[in-house]
């Protein structure tokens, strides 16, 4: 009887060990390459004007898919990430919309609203947060990973995230446009965008 309990406990421990090892390995395989590639200021690639992505540029599109997986799997919520942030000066980024990583290639923004303050941070500026002005409502046109033409109208947080990532494509960082004073009226959830 005692031996049976012991064997059972050992079996449970073994299963737990296997599961933890599997999770650890799969975690370090997925996303680690993207995470390791993230560059921080003052890396020169963050200041370049990024080039348009060609339809045949499968390497860039594949990298965007990997970046989307990285954001999908991230425990810490990340609002978006752009190709220049992984040292590739091309016009593509990912933005989380309704908890889904949306790939936007060669995006073009039309501003429809008015400037409002947005509290933001950036993966390429660790520990730096501040308010910048963003348009409250935008139309963004882009190609998705299947090269389908897409159009989205976005408001507030999602609109801010697209404008933040789009700035990266033009070599602009939040530190370039941070407001000197913390605005009196700010958005409700003061969680900085990353
Ligand atoms: Zn950023």
């Amino acid at each position: 009887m005692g031996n049976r309990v012991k064997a059972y406990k050992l079996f449970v421990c073994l299963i737990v060990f296997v599961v933890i090892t599997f999770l650890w390995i799969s975690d370090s395989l997925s996303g680690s390459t993207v995470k390791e590639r993230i560059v921080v200021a003052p890396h020169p690639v963050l200041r370049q004007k990024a080039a348009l992505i060609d339809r045949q540029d499968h390497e860039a599109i594949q990298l965007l898919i990997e970046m989307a997986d990285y954001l999908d799997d991230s425990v810490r919520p990340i609002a978006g990430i752009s190709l220049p942030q992984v040292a590739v000066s091309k016009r593509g980024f990912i933005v989380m919309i309704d908890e889904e990583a949306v790939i936007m290639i060669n995006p073009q923004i039309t501003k429809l609203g008015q400037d409002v303050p947005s509290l933001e941070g950036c993966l390429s500026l660790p520990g730096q947060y501040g308010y910048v002005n963003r348009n409250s409502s935008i139309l963004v046109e882009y190609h998705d990973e299947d090269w389908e033409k897409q159009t989205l109208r976005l408001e507030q947080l999602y609109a801010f995230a697209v404008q933040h990532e789009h700035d990266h494509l033009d070599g602009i960082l939040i530190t370039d446009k941070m407001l000197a004073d913390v605005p009196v009226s700010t958005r409700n959830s003061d969680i900085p965008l990353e």
Side-chain angles (χ1 to χ4, degrees):
M1 206 51 176
N3 275 349
R4 226 188 235 182
V5 173
K6 244 185 222 171
Y8 175 72
K9 278 184 179 167
L10 201 68
F11 178 71
V12 170
C13 284
L14 188 71
I15 294 293
V16 168
F17 175 75
V18 168
V19 168
I20 288 173
T21 308
F22 173 77
L23 287 175
W24 181 71
I25 289 172
S26 61
D27 183 56
S28 56
L29 284 179
S30 74
S32 70
T33 45
V34 171
K35 195 177 180 181
E36 283 160 15
R37 287 181 72 152
I38 294 174
V39 295
V40 296
H43 196 293
V45 74
L46 294 170
R47 290 309 192 176
Q48 287 170 22
K49 189 165 169 70
L52 287 169
I53 295 175
D54 189 88
R55 188 180 184 154
Q56 305 304 324
D57 191 346
H58 302 297
E59 206 179 318
I61 296 167
Q62 182 54 39
L63 179 56
L64 283 164
I65 292 169
E66 284 171 33
M67 289 159 71
D69 289 342
Y70 170 65
L71 256 60
D72 266 333
D73 296 343
S74 175
V75 181
R76 195 167 66 108
I78 302 171
I81 186 172
S82 61
L83 279 174
Q85 290 179 279
V86 292
V88 175
S89 192
K90 292 178 181 174
R91 302 187 82 78
F93 55 70
I94 323 293
V95 170
M96 293 301 290
I97 297 174
D98 292 333
E99 290 178 32
E100 199 188 315
V102 178
I103 295 172
M104 298 189 180
I105 298 169
N106 300 337
Q108 282 191 301
I109 293 176
T110 308
K111 292 176 180 175
L112 305 171
Q114 46 195 298
D115 277 356
V116 290
S118 160
L119 178 61
E120 301 183 8
C122 181
L123 288 172
S124 297
L125 297 163
Q128 293 195 55
Y129 301 94
Y131 285 93
V132 297
N133 274 329
R134 298 284 183 207
N135 202 275
S136 58
S137 172
I138 61 159
L139 197 75
V140 59
E141 294 167 85
Y142 60 95
H143 286 285
D144 65 15
E145 60 273 34
D146 301 316
W147 212 261
E148 300 285 337
K149 188 107 180 154
Q150 304 285 351
T151 305
L152 276 181
R153 186 175 172 159
L154 300 169
E155 314 280 335
Q156 298 293 324
L157 219 57
Y158 299 141
F160 302 159
V162 166
Q163 289 168 85
H164 177 119
E165 300 311 327
H166 192 264
D167 271 354
H168 276 300
L169 308 185
D170 292 328
I172 299 166
L173 298 173
I174 52 170
T175 39
D176 300 337
K177 40 166 75 174
M178 266 186 198
L179 304 174
D181 300 311
V182 174
V184 180
S185 91
T186 59
R187 60 189 170 83
N188 293 335
S189 58
D190 270 355
I191 306 160
L193 284 173
E194 290 278 354

